[in-house]
Amino acid sequence: MKSFYVIKPYLMRRRAIIAIGVLCLMGVDTLQLFIPRVIKWAVDDLTMLHVDRGQLAIYAGEILAIAVMMALLRFVWRRFLIGTSREIEKEIRNRLFSHIQTLSADYFGTTKTGDLMAHATNDINNIRMAVGMGMVAMTDAIFLGSAAICFMAYINVKLTLFALIPMPAIVLVTRTLAKKMHHRYTKVQATFSELTEAVRESFSGIRIIKAFNREKNATNRVGGVSRKYIGENIKLVKITGMFFPMMLLFTNISLAIVIFLGGRQTITAEITTGDFVAFIAYLNLLTWPMMAMGWVTNLIQRGSASLDRLDRIFQRLPDIVEVKDAPVQLPIKGKIAFRGVTFSYQRNDAPALRDINFVVERGSVLGIAGAQGSGKTTLLKLISRISDVTGGSITIDDEDIRNVKLHDLREAIGFVSQEPFLFSGSIRENITFGADIDEETLINAAKAAALYDTILSFPAGFDTVVGEKGIVLSGGQKQRIVIARALIKDPPILLLDDPIGQVDTQTAAMIIGTIRSAACEKTIIIASHRLPAIQFADNIIILEDGKVAESGTHDALIALDGYYAKTHFIQSAEALGQ
C-alpha cells in the first residue's frame, strides 16, 4: 500500500489502544485453542470409560468458563479495534473536508460533486473496513493460524505436514488475484462516483426535469450509469468470488487427508481417539484463518484503492496561497488599485481580462458595466482572490493583495454573488452565517437590504426555514438575504455582482438607496448590466472583451455616446414602457 502513510499518523497516535485490542484478540484466539484440548480429554475418558457425571460437569464447566472469558475479551477488542477504525474514519473525513475547502475555485470547476461525495462516503468506509476488520482478519490469519498449526503439530507432526499440503496453493492464488482485485476495485469506485453524480444532478434538477417531461430520460440516464456500475461489480465479483470457495476447497482437501490418514493412525493407536477429534477441531479452527487470508486481501485491496484515490486529493495543492511571512496588516481601509491586471482561466486560454488599470479611493464607488462575458464577475473575484491574477497586480491600501493573509483580506470584504446561494437553514442562519450577531444588528441589516417587512410577513419571521437552496423564497427575496449577509459584517469593502438583477423596480430603488447611503463609509464596487445600479458611482468603467473600453462618470459616458449611452437609452425606454 503505497498510500499507507496517509493513515499511519492516525494509527501511531492510537498504538496503545490498538496494542491492547490486538492482545485481547490474541487472548480470544488462545482460549479457542484450549477448547479442543478439553474435548480431547473428555473423549479419551469416555472412550476408556474412566469418567463419571462429576468429571463431565468439570469439563463442561471449563468450556463454559473459557466461553465467558472469550466473550469479555471479544467485547474489549471490538471496542478498541472497531472503535479505533471509526475514529480514524471520522478524522480522515474531517481532514478531507478541510483540505477540499482549501482548494481553489478552479478545482471545483473540473471536479464533479458526485466524485467528492463518493470520496467522503464510500472510499472512507472502505478504509475503515480495511483498518478495523482488516486488522482483525490479519491477526487471526497470522496468530490463530500459526497457533492452530502448532497445536496440530503437538498432536502429530506427520499428520500436520500432510494437512498443510494445500497451503502453498493458497499463497500462490492469493498473490495472483490481489493485483487484479486492486485494479477492479479502482474501476468500481470510479463508476460509483459517476452514479452518485448522476443521481445528485437528477434530484437537484428535478423541477426542470418535470417541467420538460423528461422523467423517462433522467431514469434512462441513471439506469445506464447504474448498469455500468453493476457491470464493474460483476467483473470484480468474478475475482473476489473465487476466494472463499477456494479457501473452503483447500480446507476440505486437508480434512479429507486428515480423515484418511488420521483415521488409520487412530486405528493403529498411533494417536488416541481424543487426539483425532482434537486434531479435526484444530483443522476446523484453521478454516477461519485460511478464509481470513482471502478476506483480508479483499479488504486491504479495496481500502488500498480508496486510499490511493484520497491521496490524489490530499496531494492536490491550492492554487491560491498566501506568503508564509505575510506582513502584519493594519485594519484594511479600502483603497483598491488595479495595475496592468491580466487574467486567464487556463494557461493557454485567451485572457478574460487584459491590461486593466484603475484606482478606487477609500469611501468611493466604482461601477462596472458591459455585455455578458465581458469580464465583470471575473474582475470582482480577483479582488477577493477567488482567482489570482496572471499578470499585473491588485493592491489594497497600497499593499499587494498577495501579501495580505487570505483570512484578513476576505474578512474585510462583503461579497454579493450574481447567483444568490442559500443554505437549507433559517433566514437568520443564512444572514448571520455562523457569526455571533445580536438581534438589533440583524434587524438593521435586514432593513438595509429592504428585507425586514418581507421577513415579518412570514409566520416564523427570522426563523423561517428556506429549504434547499432557498426553494421557498422568490429570486428577489434570496437576493436580498445575500445582500443582508454581506452588510451584517460591516466590512470596509463591498463587492456587488448584479445586486438588483432579480428584484422589481421598487425594491431595486430601495437597495440602491442602501448602497448609496453606505458609499461614504465603504469602498463599493458594483458590477451590473442594469445601469440604475451604477449611474450614481464616482467612476464607471465599461468592459468590452476583457478590456476597459470606456470610463468616466455617468454624465461623461452619456456624452461619449458609446456603449453606456446606448444602453442607458434602451433601458430608460423600457422603464417608460412599463
Side-chain angles (χ1 to χ4, degrees), residues 236-258:
L236 174 62
V237 168
K238 289 179 180 178
I239 299 174
T240 59
M242 297 180 186
F243 266 105
F244 293 107
M246 288 179 66
M247 298 304 110
L248 289 174
L249 172 63
F250 291 134
T251 301
N252 286 325
I253 291 174
S254 296
L255 181 60
I257 293 172
V258 169

Side-chain angles (χ1 to χ4, degrees), residues 13-51:
R13 282 202 299 270
R14 296 172 173 83
R15 56 184 179 274
I17 292 177
I18 293 174
I20 294 172
V22 170
L23 287 174
C24 289
L25 176 58
M26 293 169 67
V28 171
D29 291 343
T30 301
L31 289 171
Q32 287 187 83
L33 296 168
F34 282 101
I35 292 178
R37 299 301 299 170
V38 176
I39 294 174
K40 166 199 158 39
W41 298 329
V43 170
D44 282 343
D45 285 348
L46 286 169
T47 303
M48 301 297 295
L49 301 177
H50 293 163
V51 66

